[in-house]
Amino acid sequence: MSVKPPFTDLEINRSTQGFYEGHSLEIALLSKAIMIGLVIWALVSPANANGVLGSLNWQILEGFNSFYIIIVGFFAFFLFVVAALPQTGKRVMGRPGAGKEFSNFSWFSMMFGAGLGVGLMVFATAEPLGLWGSNPIVVAGDVAPNSQEALQSAYRYTFAHYGFHAWAIYVVTGLSLAYYAYTRDMPLTIRTALTPLFGGLMNGILGHIVDVLGVVATILGVSVTIGFGISQFIDGMYAITGMEWMMNMTGDAPTPGTVGLIAGLIVIMSLSIISAVSGVGRGVKYLSNLNLVLSLILLFTFVLFGSFLFAMTTYATALVDYILNFVSLSFGAYGPQSPDQFTAALSAEAAPFADALRAGATNAWGSFDGFRSGLEGEAANLSEDALKAAYAAGEPGRQFGWQAGWTTFYWAWWIAFSPFVGLFLARISRGRTVREFIIGCVVAPALVCFAWMTILGGTAIDLELTGGAEGAIIGASNTAKLFVTLGEMISGGFLSAITIMCVVLIMTFLVTSADSGILVMNTIMSGGDQEVGNKHKIVWGVILTAVIGTLLVAGKSGGADPMEALRNAMIIGALPFTMVMGLMCIALAKAMYRDGLRSKSGDLATEPAE
């Protein structure tokens, strides 16, 4: 039986002249209007912008936290099924005879380059240490924070946040783009991935909206990445120079100040724009090579001077634990605990004091001792058993708060980042089988991330466990933990040299991330065309700088954490694209099933693509 041929007539109207020549006017103008509107709002009324973004973010988390958790679990299992099924896993992403574009060595090298970036520089020490002090097992009161017993659960959630789930998010987007681009000769742009569901509708306003959602998500995802990287860059500059004008010295530990963050942002984004206009061959290529060399030097420094045996033991046990708990990590979602639900769970003795007890009992970042010491009046005079029961009654609220503030933040970050990384993975994977793409892009980079987290983070934890650091690493800000760990591990001129090298590495990672983000945004707006004029690279570089700068200022105006407004905006912006990704999975399943029928009936094209 003959099967109807797939829809491939994707037409993205592009301007033929003027400033926007080669670009879709609708996508470019709508994307810029949204971003410029956000910049003006944050510039004119930073406190209002921070407050509204925070309020909207919390409403989204209350309504969609479970959705974020479950759909990411679905992405991982969807890809495993697609890879395992013979009829889908063996399908080649390319026409017969086209061959692979890159050797296995080059493919893996570029993939690792995508995985080892700003996020790992910031969180390789901060993530394991943070989760060692607070994770769902600690929140439940089953183990004490920062103890030997908390190590297993700390790495279980560290691996969850940087493992197969994270890379599955990237690969859903990357596989969708690569499959249509290389089997159907369609453009590498977001709307292409939904053509099996919506066909010709993707040529109109619906297609523009999908692409704009991809651009907005990319901008906000890259902005959060650069925001964290800039903060660590300033921490490193302070460690080298001791210049206090860059820092906020009023807290328990120095943190990057607004002036330092804006100065660092201007430096990094200026270099990024220069790199972007110099072209991939000159800019990104040379910086990527430098990144690889410096990353290996940093890794071997920790291998030689850090707690390598402790790290490798942790790696092996944590990987087994992660796999054993994979299903619960994928679908164990929590919803908010209402005041009525909390009150109903209290004992008769504690119920009259529900309002006084609820805030402390549901605080995911507190402890039982903190809950008890924070009570006043008659509530403070309740019996020990009543207080313990009240704290236990608030566990669902604590679990929701922890998950929403930690795991869901990561899922939103990776989703917002997925058009960027997914498009990169698609570009380098022509000629690969679907199974090869999924296993190579989910498993291999995750194992490298695990190594970074255990070698760098394990050293930091071991220094605290053995008492050598005496709380110095735990007490440092997230972006300063790497430098404090190095200071506890080595000393003298070698420490100075490695610290300078880390600052250079952070800078080059930031420049390549921003450079590539600018290119991806322009690729989407030009309908998949990778040849973008320099003027558009400069414009988007300036817009990206303005978005990050104004949201950093807005976040600082609302509290101590300048990243707050950026994080809130990113979680809000990621939600619509999460829904697009869910549709991508349905569309890809349909496309592969229909292509299987066409292959059996002899209707699938067999000519090599030109």
Side-chain angles (χ1 to χ4, degrees), residues 488-508:
E488 296 292 332
M489 191 173 70
I490 54 180
S491 60
F494 185 53
L495 172 61
S496 299
I498 291 296
T499 302
I500 292 171
M501 187 204 74
C502 285
V503 172
V504 173
L505 181 57
I506 293 162
M507 181 176 68
T508 55

Side-chain angles (χ1 to χ4, degrees), residues 13-35:
N13 293 328
R14 298 191 291 172
S15 297
T16 57
Q17 58 184 356
F19 182 79
Y20 287 104
E21 182 180 358
H23 279 60
S24 166
L25 197 61
E26 295 89 348
I27 301 172
L29 292 181
L30 187 54
S31 301
K32 287 179 180 177
I34 292 171
M35 288 299 104

